[in-house]
Amino acid sequence: MVTTPQKIVISGFYGFRNSGDEAVLQSILNALRKQSQAAGITLAPVVLSIDPEWTAATYGVESVHRMKLGEVRRAISESAGLISGGGSLLQDVTSSKTIPYYLGIIKLAQWMGKPVFIYSQGIGPVNRKLFHPLIKSIFRKCVYISVRDDQSRLLLQSMGLSIDKVEVVPDPVMGLELPEDMQPGVEKGTLIGDTPDPGLQVVPATVGVSVRFWEQSRKELDALAEGLVKASAVQPLHVHFLPFHHSADNEASRYVMQKLGRSIEDNGGSVTIREDALHPLQMLREVSQCQALIGMRLHSLIYAAGQRVPLMGVSYDPKIDHFLERVDCQPVGKTDTLEADKVAAGLLELLSSGERWKQEREPLIAALTQEAEAPARRIVQYFGRKG
């Protein structure tokens, strides 16, 4: 049995203050710690980060700068292996440089003879076909490959990779839990407008809202704002904005808040925003306090599902549809065709049938939560056998 700590490098979109990706890292670290303790071995993570000082201070792990090749090479050479993931690392929608970077890190580890583990990645879209043979050739040499949905596995198969080599597992964040000392309280963020009268018989329902900029016209955000106003005319709402990617989502949230004006307050509700929840557990706590959540960000929806908060997704990317399908949901609409009336109707339905929503999906969500640590278990088993 191995008792000497073994370093393992983790490569992903870390240190950028994106709550979803930071939650992925927190979840991986938690799962590795839990599984390695159970197996009696010690893994010492080294995280590649754009802000290694912040990452080290936040998670209590060693971290090196992801763009400093010398530091990256040294970290990998001193390690027992490399974890690539999770998240949507291999896609060319946000940038054509993303796939070469992450494949380059994997190839560097393979050149050094280190085992590589693909950890619950969402593969695609990969629109540039020249990347397909590169992904295939590099993934074929990985010790273990797991993806977070069937569509990712099928895409890898279309590139020529054997489907038997790829395991489908939930997003790691499905396994993220709130520690006891962070269980929900009463804190709700920065209040905009007047505090609702506690003597009112109708208590506003807390609705979490996670938005991002996507359509240049902002028509999806306009429709969302109009839908919230329409719903608030039927039931008072406490609209609680949750920016997942700082600071871009802060701006998107404030855009919607401006569109709302005083309408929510005039209908007996309130509007708040939580802009300082940088640690994933802080954001998870915020989501857990909601009675429903409307999300554009994938991990806002995953947070909600894990905390059994009825959710409604606005689709801007296939990964949203894929996750919603796994929890037996449909998007309320796509960003280019979102309708305010459907937002209002969908939200009111969630609020009126929240308990039924939870009961119907509990078996699905419980299974995803249970399976979320599968990649960590496989990695620990690998090193346990090596020992």
Side-chain angles (χ1 to χ4, degrees):
M1 187 66 67
V2 177
T3 56
T4 304
Q6 300 182 82
K7 290 187 176 183
I8 185 159
V9 175
I10 304 178
S11 168
F13 191 73
Y14 304 132
F16 290 89
R17 310 297 205 276
N18 183 318
S19 184
D21 290 290
E22 297 304 328
V24 167
L25 177 57
Q26 180 75 75
S27 302
I28 292 174
L29 294 174
N30 289 354
L32 288 174
R33 187 181 306 112
K34 177 181 174 181
Q35 295 297 327
S36 59
Q37 286 176 351
I41 69 174
T42 304
L43 296 179
V46 181
V47 179
L48 305 186
S49 170
I50 197 67
D51 189 345
E53 291 78 13
W54 181 83
T55 296
T58 301
Y59 302 103
V61 296
E62 185 179 343
S63 182
V64 301
H65 201 291
R66 58 180 263 144
M67 300 306 292
K68 294 183 178 178
L69 182 58
E71 292 185 13
V72 172
R73 290 184 61 177
R74 184 164 55 253
I76 294 175
S77 69
E78 295 173 354
S79 75
L82 171 75
I83 292 173
S84 179
S88 303
L89 305 184
L90 298 185
Q91 51 80 25
D92 59 2
V93 175
T94 57
S95 171
S96 60
K97 299 177 182 178
T98 303
I99 291 176
Y101 171 80
Y102 290 110
L103 288 182
I105 297 295
I106 295 172
K107 193 63 182 176
L108 182 60
Q110 291 174 343
W111 279 336
M112 294 183 184
K114 307 294 182 179
V116 176
F117 310 89
I118 306 300
Y119 201 119
S120 188
Q121 286 199 28
I123 311 297
V126 184
N127 297 313
R128 295 167 176 83
K129 301 299 183 184
L130 63 93
F131 288 138
H132 288 200
L134 290 174
I135 294 172
K136 174 190 173 183
S137 65
I138 290 174
F139 269 40
R140 284 178 61 188
K141 297 174 184 176
C142 292
V143 169
Y144 169 73
I145 302 171
S146 60
V147 294
R148 67 187 181 198
D149 49 54
D150 285 317
Q151 292 81 3
S152 294
R153 181 166 65 171
L154 291 173
L155 179 56
L156 289 176
Q157 183 184 34
S158 74
M159 296 177 188
L161 199 69
S162 171
I163 202 167
D164 297 332
K165 189 177 174 66
V166 183
E167 183 176 14
V168 178
V169 299
D171 188 285
V173 179
M174 282 301 303
L176 190 61
E177 298 178 349
L178 275 176
E180 288 187 12
D181 62 354
M182 292 188 70
Q183 292 300 317
V186 295
E187 183 185 355
K188 291 294 184 181
T190 305
L191 192 63
I192 308 299
D194 300 325
T195 303
D197 182 353
L200 290 175
Q201 289 186 344
V202 180
V203 178
T206 300
V207 178
V209 179
S210 166
V211 292
R212 62 165 298 165
F213 288 130
W214 190 254
E215 301 291 337
Q216 287 192 343
S217 66
R218 310 291 185 237
K219 61 181 180 180
E220 79 280 25
L221 300 184
D222 296 343
L224 181 58
E226 185 182 347
L228 286 168
V229 171
K230 288 187 174 185
S232 74
V234 178
Q235 176 173 352
L237 302 177
H238 169 205
V239 181
H240 191 40
F241 286 89
L242 302 171
F244 266 65
H245 191 177
H246 300 265
S247 59
D249 289 5
N250 302 58
E251 296 176 18
S253 297
R254 295 233 170 233
Y255 175 90
V256 180
M257 291 167 68
Q258 185 178 20
K259 288 290 180 179
L260 293 175
R262 293 282 309 178
S263 299
I264 301 297
E265 290 90 337
D266 291 344
N267 288 331
S270 58
V271 179
T272 58
I273 183 169
R274 184 66 192 269
E275 297 184 288
D276 60 346
L278 296 179
H279 194 286
L281 292 178
Q282 292 176 320
M283 185 62 84
L284 187 66
R285 180 177 182 272
E286 293 297 313
V287 171
S288 73
Q289 293 177 288
C290 299
Q291 290 165 260
L293 181 133
I294 304 173
M296 289 181 67
R297 288 288 184 186
L298 172 64
H299 282 97
S300 72
L301 302 172
I302 294 174
Y303 278 29
Q307 294 299 304
R308 277 59 169 184
V309 173
L311 58 90
M312 188 165 70
V314 177
S315 178
Y316 72 93
D317 185 281
K319 65 185 180 183
I320 303 294
D321 305 81
H322 299 162
F323 174 72
L324 291 175
E325 184 179 327
R326 297 197 77 173
V327 292
D328 194 25
C329 293
Q330 295 290 327
V332 67
K334 297 186 181 296
T335 55
D336 59 346
T337 57
L338 189 63
E339 298 176 19
D341 287 341
K342 290 185 177 179
V343 171
L347 176 56
L348 292 171
E349 172 64 22
L350 280 184
L351 292 173
S352 66
S353 61
E355 287 305 314
R356 186 173 75 246
W357 188 98
K358 297 175 192 178
Q359 291 172 4
E360 290 175 349
R361 288 162 180 79
E362 179 58 30
L364 282 173
I365 294 172
L368 292 174
T369 301
Q370 181 77 17
E371 297 164 12
E373 292 188 0
R377 191 159 48 246
R378 293 293 189 95
I379 292 168
V380 167
Q381 288 172 352
Y382 177 89
F383 288 111
R385 288 195 299 269
K386 284 289 183 178

